Amino acid sequence: MRRQHRTKIVATLGPGTGDAKSIATLFHAGADVFRLNFSHGAHSEHKARLDAIRELERSSARPIAVMMDLQGPKLRIGTFKGGPIELREGAAFRLDLDEAEGNTDRVTLPHPEIFQALEPGADLLLDDGRIRLTVERCDAKSADCRVAVGGPLSERKGVNVPGVVLPLSPLTEKDRADLAYGLTLGVDWVALSFVQRPEDIEEARALIQGKAGILAKLEKPAAIDKLDEIVAAADALMVARGDLGVEMPPEDVPVQQRRIIEACRLAGKPVVVATQMLDSMVERPVPTRAEASDVATAVYSGADAVMLSAETAVGDYAEEAVAMMNRIIERVEKDPVYRKGLEAQRQKPEPTTADAVATAAAQMATTLAVNAIATYTTSGSTTLRVARERPPAPILGLTPRDDTARRLALVWGVHPARVPDAQDLDDMSATATHQAKIDGFGNEGDRIVITAGVPFSTPGKTNLLRIARIGGASETS
């Protein structure tokens, strides 16, 4: 099955789409990656969904990526005696560690690490930013605040602390248990929530031990301050606009989205744009024009993937949402302006053999108008280098490893395929041209570009470039 879109689609599974039939429907509508949100659902539910994905993968003969999204630390206030309260602008309000039920004067905030990091003048955002408190005095057990923006407040609402690096690990005990379980299931990507610094990623990497790729979710301004270091430490990133949009002014989010995408493009790391992309399609069969433009903007910017959350997890029009996102992507990618934009964004290659080969492959694909670029890879790095160039020809990611093929399903323009190790150069060309033909990337006599490393099956040894014809001999090497 050949996809026509280059920008990939991530679909979140949930109560409305957890069965095998629904998963197959979303896949055929255009989904490339399935997200399992471990903030919700039992382990047994996630296992059933992953089993259904792997069966679909076998029947479709196409690698499918599975992303587990860890919940991360959730900061919430306590309960109120007598139900919700009303906070009025200018009123005093106290947050503390006292476990007693709250009232209009105070409420429990059972997170001592927040009080350790607060300083007078800091803002606290409650209920997705609807309530804003300004800290006037604080110590290790409490914070006396003034209500800057008031309104109704009910129990257990979330708390955001913008501009403050909290002494928190992104991995709670729940996350560690979920992660261990997800790795036994064989997930391909681990989305790490609440990343604030590169050390958070290294902590997760020590637990994952190469069994899955690490995708850092950028949800806090503190992470933006260390963007380059986080990009270097992670395997992929996500512009998680939900919490990011709470902790910074709305007008700053599009600017930071573009900045994150450009940083990932420069580093050759996959980047996903997420949150409320087609949000109205949770309840309606068509998106707003603004939502369609939002998806298009991410595609024009060169993102590797765009993600659907509630639209496919609990929405009434899950299949339609995936199909709509697929149509928007395909339409944008046919626009000549899209190709010009990608070429303008192209980064200078690093002075390495692998980058020189990847750059030359993209240039050959353009000059010769080849049907595909076939990249032999063990770890996926060769394919990522070529994808970084955003070539006009589709990329065949050929690998003998199931895990590599599945991870590459997230990457822009890559059609991953599991193939045997090449025995020699002739076998390499024969396998690549055969795969291009059976996957619908060309017919007899059409040309493809092939990149590989010699000796074969040696990671990080991309040093060969060849042009071959489908059904014929190689032209150059």
Side-chain angles (χ1 to χ4, degrees):
M1 177 188 294
R2 176 184 174 181
R3 299 288 199 214
Q4 297 303 314
H5 61 243
R6 308 290 180 87
T7 307
K8 302 303 182 67
I9 298 174
V10 182
T12 302
L13 299 180
T17 49
D19 61 285
K21 182 179 178 181
S22 296
I23 293 170
T25 297
L26 298 184
F27 173 74
H28 290 294
D32 305 282
V33 180
F34 288 105
R35 171 177 173 252
L36 306 179
N37 186 358
F38 274 71
S39 295
H40 308 284
H43 282 182
S44 58
E45 293 175 305
H46 293 306
K47 181 181 186 305
R49 291 163 187 166
L50 193 142
D51 288 345
I53 294 168
R54 293 299 180 233
E55 180 56 38
L56 174 62
E57 184 180 66
R58 285 187 287 271
S59 64
S60 65
R62 179 181 173 88
I64 303 172
V66 176
M67 177 194 300
M68 73 173 301
D69 196 332
L70 298 175
Q71 176 175 287
K74 291 294 184 182
L75 309 177
R76 298 184 184 279
I77 59 172
T79 60
F80 292 103
K81 185 176 182 179
I85 64 168
E86 181 77 22
L87 288 180
R88 299 193 180 280
E89 183 178 336
F93 193 69
R94 182 182 179 91
L95 301 171
D96 56 42
L97 297 177
D98 187 343
E99 296 181 358
E101 289 184 305
N103 52 41
T104 55
D105 297 321
R106 59 155 298 278
V107 73
T108 302
L109 180 59
H111 302 285
E113 57 276 4
I114 292 183
F115 297 117
Q116 295 169 16
L118 285 179
E119 294 180 353
D123 285 333
L124 292 164
L125 305 178
L126 282 60
D127 192 13
D128 287 336
R130 294 179 178 88
I131 303 292
R132 181 185 293 269
L133 308 177
T134 300
V135 177
E136 295 185 333
R137 293 176 299 278
C138 57
D139 55 32
K141 296 182 179 180
S142 65
D144 291 314
C145 306
R146 189 70 56 185
V147 179
V149 178
L153 181 64
S154 54
E155 64 183 31
R156 304 193 189 283
K157 290 299 183 181
V159 178
N160 293 83
V161 193
V164 176
V165 178
L166 299 175
L168 285 172
S169 166
L171 294 166
T172 65
E173 289 304 312
K174 168 181 163 51
D175 293 327
R176 291 171 182 269
D178 287 343
L179 176 60
Y181 184 74
L183 293 176
T184 64
L185 294 180
V187 299
D188 307 298
W189 288 96
V190 175
L192 190 61
S193 299
F194 206 72
V195 170
Q196 299 184 94
R197 50 197 163 240
E199 291 81 6
D200 295 338
I201 298 165
E202 297 311 320
E203 180 182 353
R205 195 173 296 282
L207 297 173
I208 295 170
Q209 297 183 337
K211 296 176 183 176
I214 298 177
L215 186 149
K217 295 170 63 179
L218 300 186
E219 302 171 277
K220 289 186 66 63
I224 305 298
D225 293 339
K226 293 185 176 293
L227 178 60
D228 291 340
E229 296 97 318
I230 291 174
V231 170
D235 300 308
L237 282 88
M238 180 187 292
V239 188
R241 302 179 304 179
D243 278 296
L244 194 62
V246 171
E247 297 212 4
M248 64 172 53
E251 65 271 19
D252 287 348
V253 175
V255 176
Q256 297 304 331
Q257 174 176 310
R258 187 62 178 264
R259 180 186 169 197
I260 294 166
I261 292 173
E262 288 183 354
C264 291
R265 289 285 313 280
L266 177 63
K269 301 287 181 77
V271 57
V272 182
V273 177
T275 315
Q276 296 178 329
M277 300 214 79
L278 297 177
D279 192 54
S280 66
M281 291 193 73
V282 172
E283 299 176 342
R284 299 172 59 227
V286 294
T288 66
R289 302 304 180 263
E291 289 167 342
S293 294
D294 182 36
V295 175
T297 296
V299 177
Y300 276 116
S301 297
D304 287 79
V306 285
M307 192 175 94
L308 295 165
S309 299
E311 299 95 330
T312 53
V314 297
D316 295 330
Y317 300 95
E319 179 184 0
E320 291 85 350
V322 175
M324 175 57 68
M325 185 166 271
N326 183 66
R327 293 205 303 273
I328 295 169
I329 294 170
E330 289 186 4
R331 178 63 186 87
V332 170
E333 292 177 348
K334 291 176 182 176
D335 183 1
V337 173
Y338 172 68
R339 172 49 50 189
K340 290 178 181 178
L342 292 184
E343 292 172 355
Q345 297 166 15
R346 186 167 291 144
Q347 304 295 333
K348 183 179 179 180
E350 297 176 10
T352 64
T353 300
D355 257 31
V357 170
T359 302
Q363 290 174 340
M364 280 188 176
T366 301
T367 302
L368 300 176
V370 300
N371 285 63
I373 301 173
T375 61
Y376 276 87
T377 185
T378 302
S379 65
S381 62
T382 299
T383 310
L384 284 169
R385 283 188 177 96
V386 174
R388 176 191 181 212
E389 298 298 313
R390 298 295 193 259
I395 304 166
L396 278 171
L398 307 180
T399 178
R401 297 180 50 162
D402 284 330
D403 58 346
T404 298
R406 289 165 177 161
R407 291 182 202 179
L408 289 174
L410 180 68
V411 181
W412 183 96
V414 175
H415 177 97
R418 189 180 181 280
V419 299
D421 267 331
Q423 301 303 309
D424 53 41
L425 294 180
D426 289 339
D427 181 40
M428 176 194 75
S429 295
T431 300
T433 53
H434 173 71
Q435 194 68 40
K437 182 178 180 180
I438 65 173
D439 284 341
F441 290 94
N443 300 307
E444 293 288 325
D446 289 335
R447 288 184 294 192
I448 67 170
V449 172
I450 306 172
T451 70
V454 178
F456 294 113
S457 302
T458 305
K461 289 291 185 181
T462 306
N463 55 16
L464 180 147
L465 185 61
R466 171 172 281 203
I467 302 170
R469 288 188 181 274
I470 298 175
S474 299
E475 295 183 5
T476 63
S477 60

